[in-house]
Amino acid sequence: MQQTDRKTLSELSTLPVGRLLWRYSLPAIVGMMVTALYNVVDRIFIGQGVGPEAIAGLAITFPVMNLSAALGVLIGAGGSARISILLGAKDYAGASRTLGNALVTLAAIIVVYLSVFAIFIDEILVAFGASEVTLPYARDFMLYILPGMLMTNFAFTFNNFMRVSGYPVKAMVTMFIGAGLNVCLAPLFIFKFGWGIKGAAIATDISMAVSAIFVMAHFFNRRHNLHFEKDHSMYVPSPAIIWPIVAIGAAPSLVNAAACFINVLINKSLYQYGGDIAVGAAGIFTSYTSLMTMVVVGLCQGMQPIIGYNYGAGMYHRLKRTYWLAVGASTVLVTTGQVVGLSSPGEIARAFTSDPGLIRETVRCLSHAMLCFCVVGFQVVSTTLFQSLGKAGASVFLSLARQVIFLIPFLLYLPSVYGLDGVWFSFPMSDALATVVTAIMVSLLLVRLSRLTAGARAGVQAE
């Protein structure tokens, strides 16, 4: 690893954490925001150019997309956390072996899940809640998006590795390339060529392919501080390397996997109590809230290398300050999104569709489902804190608390009593309970870190 790059990484333990969080988070936030915007723009194009049935069909594909993302995040989040900690501990050889093993493991996972999706696509979509009306739209989108899912996993996974190895701005550029290209191609394919929903998928395929090529080329350049070596041993799968990656990545991966199965349950409940219109409203709700959650994820991506590096270096006071700054920023963001969602639900709905029935149901959805959205930032940042410290068990538990442990019981009970409103109210109730659990676990962790900090200072004074 080059000496100048090592000096850059050492700044993670010397520069003021506020400046570091800004430096690392801003590119990640911009990149994630651009990604969220082009996803939303895609759905606006589909809703306005194809119709409300297409929006509902697209919503059916969300679980499949979440499952694909879950498998990619398993390696991307786990690998980047491990690389951050290893770089903080000055174990550069270990960081390189982690990079090689991550490449091989990700490729193997992609081959398996794409094969399953391609063979059983109709059965999967029906199981996920597709009706006779929405199945053709969902199938058209999925059949054409499969190559893009492969490229998306490579682009996002190695984008994380690029960021934690000292290239946050270049990681942002990677996101800009894909997002900008997609925003240009999607309306062309949907409206000009008349390809409908499959045009949106093809635009995503091309955009993600270009992003993947850009980010992978970075790691083939030997001048960069973390890159692919000619030594074949770095690519030989090692359980000692892969297991920590998978263990740490399990938390965010389970979030996405849980979202997949939760979406199935939600779609079935929505279809039972409100039909395809209710499914479409949930799609718009997800599109809107993703604008905020993607920014919070970007903030967490910027926070992760700072926390991981300082944890590896034993500088716990810097770790805690970084965490609280991230909590404050994310809370302001999601609270703003909640206020807008509750005060202007009609305007948000009309951006996606002109169908009066879908607009009415979307207003109803946003007015109920966003009542406790202000706590989501705290939950996501706290889960990332445990993940960045390599505390896989706690991170997994917090990930599941909101989306499985609390949400599923509400989804199973409330709709039977309150109908469609019961589905919408399940979200704020699970958010509230998960926040209480998260606060307790974070408090216990911070107390332990304070004791470690005090012990380290006492040891220095004794010397």
Side-chain angles (χ1 to χ4, degrees):
M1 185 176 293
Q2 296 181 355
Q3 191 65 31
T4 55
D5 290 325
R6 292 184 182 180
K7 181 180 179 181
T8 299
L9 286 171
S10 69
E11 292 178 345
L12 290 169
S13 62
T14 56
L15 290 180
V17 294
R19 188 191 308 175
L20 281 172
L21 187 61
W22 177 261
R23 176 187 296 181
Y24 275 79
S25 292
L26 181 61
I29 289 172
V30 171
M32 295 303 291
M33 189 63 181
V34 169
T35 300
L37 282 173
Y38 90 69
N39 284 333
V40 170
V41 168
D42 258 1
R43 293 160 195 175
I44 291 174
F45 288 150
I46 290 170
Q48 300 288 359
V50 187
E53 294 85 1
I55 282 284
L58 188 64
I60 295 297
T61 69
F62 290 169
V64 185
M65 305 297 287
N66 283 332
L67 188 56
S68 167
L71 296 170
V73 166
L74 182 68
I75 306 303
S80 58
R82 283 296 299 160
I83 287 171
S84 292
I85 293 172
L86 291 168
L87 291 175
K90 306 295 190 295
D91 184 0
Y92 304 114
S96 294
R97 288 194 298 271
T98 300
L99 179 71
N101 271 243
L103 173 67
V104 174
T105 308
L106 179 64
I109 290 173
I110 290 174
V111 169
V112 173
Y113 83 71
L114 284 184
S115 300
V116 173
F117 287 168
I119 296 171
F120 301 106
I121 188 62
D122 275 15
E123 292 83 352
I124 291 172
L125 291 173
V126 170
F128 285 178
S131 66
E132 292 183 1
V133 174
T134 58
L135 179 60
Y137 294 102
R139 182 197 301 115
D140 271 359
F141 185 78
M142 285 306 307
L143 288 177
Y144 284 91
I145 201 66
L146 287 177
M149 290 164 64
L150 180 154
M151 294 298 175
T152 298
N153 277 161
F154 273 108
F156 278 80
T157 296
F158 284 88
N159 183 271
N160 286 333
F161 297 164
M162 180 187 289
R163 181 180 302 104
V164 300
S165 60
Y167 297 90
V169 175
K170 193 171 184 180
M172 176 188 69
V173 172
T174 303
M175 308 301 289
F176 264 118
I177 291 173
L181 190 57
N182 191 76
V183 168
C184 294
L185 293 178
L188 179 66
F189 292 168
I190 294 172
F191 297 106
K192 181 69 174 178
F193 294 175
W195 291 352
I197 197 168
K198 69 181 181 183
I202 295 171
T204 299
D205 292 344
I206 295 172
S207 304
M208 286 296 99
V210 174
S211 287
I213 291 170
F214 179 83
V215 73
M216 297 303 289
H218 170 90
F219 290 99
F220 281 101
N221 189 334
R222 294 179 59 82
R223 291 179 299 176
H224 293 140
N225 55 9
L226 189 68
H227 57 266
F228 298 125
E229 302 278 1
K230 292 183 179 180
D231 182 5
H232 294 168
S233 63
M234 85 178 277
Y235 309 103
V236 176
S238 168
I241 296 175
I242 295 174
W243 173 244
I245 293 175
V246 172
I248 297 173
S253 179
L254 283 172
V255 169
N256 285 275
C260 165
F261 296 107
I262 291 298
N263 276 336
V264 174
L265 181 58
I266 292 171
N267 286 338
K268 288 183 178 294
S269 296
L270 290 172
Y271 187 73
Q272 178 182 353
Y273 293 100
D276 289 327
I277 287 293
V279 176
I284 295 175
F285 164 68
T286 302
S287 300
Y288 174 67
T289 54
S290 71
L291 289 174
M292 280 70 70
T293 54
M294 291 286 269
V295 176
V296 174
V297 169
L299 179 66
C300 290
Q301 288 178 346
M303 177 187 81
Q304 180 185 321
I306 304 170
I307 285 183
Y309 192 96
N310 282 282
Y311 183 66
M315 305 185 72
Y316 307 121
H317 62 290
R318 292 174 58 83
L319 179 161
K320 290 189 290 183
R321 177 162 172 75
T322 303
Y323 166 72
W324 285 119
L325 286 173
V327 167
S330 64
T331 300
V332 169
L333 172 70
V334 295
T335 301
T336 302
Q338 177 183 359
V339 170
V340 174
L342 293 177
S343 61
S344 307
E347 287 72 12
I348 294 171
R350 279 186 281 273
F352 289 86
T353 182
S354 57
D355 182 79
L358 183 53
I359 291 173
R360 283 194 301 272
E361 193 54 55
T362 301
V363 169
R364 184 183 181 189
C365 166
L366 292 174
S367 299
H368 297 347
M370 295 196 70
L371 289 174
C372 282
F373 191 71
C374 57
V375 301
V376 169
F378 169 68
Q379 294 171 4
V380 175
V381 171
S382 298
T383 301
T384 304
L385 170 66
F386 284 97
Q387 172 196 325
S388 301
L389 301 182
K391 298 184 180 299
S395 185
V396 168
F397 175 75
L398 287 180
S399 300
L400 295 178
R402 176 180 172 233
Q403 296 208 44
V404 176
I405 297 173
F406 296 124
L407 183 57
I408 287 181
F410 285 132
L411 284 172
L412 292 175
Y413 173 71
L414 292 181
S416 65
V417 178
Y418 302 104
L420 188 55
D421 282 342
V423 180
W424 303 137
F425 280 125
S426 298
F427 296 102
M429 293 184 71
S430 63
D431 283 339
L433 290 177
T435 299
V436 174
V437 173
T438 302
I440 293 171
M441 293 185 63
V442 169
S443 297
L444 294 174
L445 172 66
L446 294 180
V447 167
R448 288 196 295 270
L449 290 176
S450 295
R451 289 173 179 169
L452 289 173
T453 302
R457 288 174 178 171
V460 171
Q461 292 175 354
E463 291 178 358

